[in-house]
Amino acid sequence: MILYITVAAVTVLLAGMVNSRPVIQPYMTTRQQMCNRVCLLSVFLILFALSACRLNVGNDYAKYVEFMHLVNCDSYVPTEIGFNLLVKLIYGLSGFENYLLVFAVYAFVTVFLFLSAMYEQSDDFPLTFFLFMMLGYYFQTFSTVRYYLALAVALYSMKFVQRGQWGRFVILILLGSAFHKSLLVVIPLYYLASRAWKKWQLAIAALFCTTFLFAQDFYLKVVILLYPTYEDTEYLEGGTSYINILRCLAVLVFAVIVYFMQKDSRFGFYFYLNLGALVLYVFCSFLPIISRIGYYLTISHILYLPMLLKQVENAKWRRLFRLGILLAAILYFAVYMSRADHDGTLILPYKTFLFHDMVNILSDVN
């Protein structure tokens, strides 16, 4: 745990020296631009190295090693074509089952996309990065590596939605879905969130949400159609997160407070993403994939909260709101780390291939 806290503290301090909106002078690199490059590169290398050097750290690390072995043996696996082709390529070039390099490639792309998205889209990169670390997004990349690559793609794609560049958005999502097909859900969700909803349309949407209360069997059949491997497994048990519900409510209240002073066209997009996540967590808890869909929406919080803070004109109130956000994020991080060795997370204890050996996978035992 000390290692994770140290990494979080060092990278947050480095991110604090980054200004994502530096003054640009023609034909020369300013001191701030150089500082940005050095700090961003340092943050990237630290996060990449910690992830790439891990061994059997993460809730499903051994399961992924098993999947890679089966892919290499041309056996059936429930993973997407992008994952399978990447494994085939790396194993073929390496000449052996080099799963460490596969995880390293995932770490490189995932961290790069997250940092690029935050730097390009945030109004306050230090605060956005702080939330990224404190809310556990980085440490969760140690598990479900395919999904968190897709989540990074989703965050990066938001800039295309806000610019109305729908062709680039769809192409990027289709590419990302080759590694985790759940990413396809953001195409309709992000489109709906980008619309300027009228009151009567919101009323119809609210009526539609009631169908989740009495048509649960139908929606579960749709999920099984998309994820046939979930049938007759514990994955169909569903469940929701009260912490995420409280988080969405808190962001919603803050957004309503800021609403009358906001002047940013992005307000509506982020607002509806948060509202949509709240609706999903409340009405769709029976769906087994609700957490994954919800994260595609709530990842916007790390961009939305800095944008909302910027709209608060009174300096005193802005400092108070900022302090509240910082304390809430630190508390969330403390709770997350207290459960870091539990099933479902398992990022503790940290192990590296430099000093540890991989445990036997299922194929080795059989």
Side-chain angles (χ1 to χ4, degrees):
M1 186 180 298
I2 294 176
L3 173 64
Y4 291 155
I5 294 174
T6 301
V7 166
V10 171
T11 54
V12 165
L13 287 174
L14 287 169
M17 293 184 281
V18 174
N19 180 358
S20 57
R21 301 291 185 272
V23 177
I24 299 177
Q25 297 183 10
Y27 310 113
M28 68 174 296
T29 301
T30 65
R31 182 178 298 178
Q32 183 60 59
Q33 287 176 300
M34 183 59 67
C35 178
N36 285 353
R37 295 171 185 175
V38 172
C39 291
L40 285 171
L41 179 60
S42 300
V43 169
F44 172 80
L45 291 176
I46 292 171
L47 298 184
F48 166 68
L50 185 68
S51 181
C53 292
R54 77 189 193 280
L55 180 71
N56 201 24
V57 177
N59 190 57
D60 49 9
Y61 190 101
K63 182 184 294 185
Y64 270 111
V65 175
E66 171 74 10
F67 284 163
M68 294 177 204
H69 172 72
L70 293 176
V71 168
N72 193 47
C73 296
D74 295 320
S75 301
Y76 169 77
V77 288
T79 48
E80 291 79 5
I81 187 172
F83 174 84
N84 299 343
L85 290 177
L86 179 63
V87 171
K88 281 280 192 181
L89 176 64
I90 292 178
Y91 278 19
L93 292 175
S94 300
F96 65 100
E97 296 194 354
N98 193 353
Y99 55 85
L100 291 173
L101 184 55
V102 177
F103 282 113
V105 170
Y106 264 93
F108 184 97
V109 178
T110 302
V111 173
F112 178 81
L113 285 175
F114 270 127
L115 285 179
S116 298
M118 289 186 285
Y119 182 78
E120 294 176 8
Q121 299 179 55
S122 178
D123 292 326
D124 185 345
F125 177 81
L127 178 57
T128 290
F129 182 81
F130 175 82
L131 294 173
F132 172 70
M133 296 299 292
M134 293 297 102
L135 296 181
Y137 287 116
Y138 167 68
F139 296 104
Q140 279 297 103
T141 63
F142 292 1
S143 302
T144 55
V145 294
R146 290 163 37 247
Y147 172 75
Y148 274 86
L149 172 62
L151 188 64
V153 171
L155 183 67
Y156 189 83
S157 73
M158 288 182 185
K159 68 177 183 180
F160 298 127
V161 175
Q162 295 170 66
R163 296 172 184 172
Q165 297 174 327
W166 294 104
R168 295 184 181 184
F169 167 70
V170 171
I171 291 173
L172 180 60
I173 296 304
L174 291 177
L175 289 173
S177 68
F179 295 88
H180 205 287
K181 59 187 174 184
S182 69
L183 182 61
L184 292 172
V185 76
V186 307
I187 294 179
L189 290 179
Y190 285 10
Y191 174 77
L192 291 173
S194 69
R195 300 299 89 191
W197 289 70
K198 295 181 172 58
K199 292 181 180 179
W200 65 269
Q201 292 173 323
L202 289 173
I204 293 176
L207 288 175
F208 173 76
C209 289
T210 62
T211 64
F212 294 120
L213 300 177
F214 57 80
Q216 295 183 2
D217 291 340
F218 168 76
Y219 289 114
L220 283 174
K221 289 179 181 178
V222 173
V223 170
I224 293 174
L225 182 65
L226 295 173
Y227 292 90
T229 56
Y230 281 7
E231 190 170 10
D232 298 325
T233 68
E234 70 276 9
Y235 293 115
L236 285 181
E237 294 178 358
T240 191
S241 170
Y242 295 108
I243 292 179
N244 282 328
I245 290 175
L246 291 174
R247 196 171 109 192
C248 290
L249 282 172
V251 173
L252 186 65
V253 170
F254 186 34
V256 171
I257 293 173
V258 178
Y259 173 76
F260 297 102
M261 62 185 78
Q262 67 86 22
K263 302 174 183 177
D264 198 309
S265 60
R266 296 170 296 170
F267 179 89
F269 175 64
Y270 292 140
F271 178 84
Y272 286 124
L273 287 179
N274 182 72
L275 182 61
L278 181 60
V279 169
L280 288 175
Y281 284 127
V282 172
F283 290 96
C284 303
S285 60
F286 64 94
L287 292 176
I289 57 173
I290 190 60
S291 61
R292 291 181 176 180
I293 298 175
Y295 267 43
Y296 284 132
L297 304 178
T298 58
I299 186 64
S300 63
H301 287 173
I302 65 177
L303 301 175
Y304 194 27
L305 288 172
M307 193 212 77
L308 290 174
L309 273 179
K310 186 179 178 182
Q311 303 300 320
V312 180
E313 297 177 354
N314 185 287
K316 179 180 178 180
W317 280 107
R318 186 166 60 250
R319 286 194 295 268
L320 286 174
F321 282 130
R322 187 182 186 90
L323 178 61
I325 292 171
L326 295 177
L327 292 177
I330 292 173
L331 177 61
Y332 190 101
F333 183 71
V335 173
Y336 177 80
M337 279 296 154
S338 69
R339 303 173 179 175
D341 59 346
H342 293 188
D343 288 339
T345 307
L346 288 180
I347 62 172
L348 284 177
Y350 182 81
K351 298 178 182 178
T352 171
F353 67 86
L354 298 173
F355 306 110
H356 301 87
D357 295 321
M358 182 61 190
V359 298
N360 289 332
I361 59 175
L362 185 61
S363 296
D364 294 330
V365 175
N366 293 336

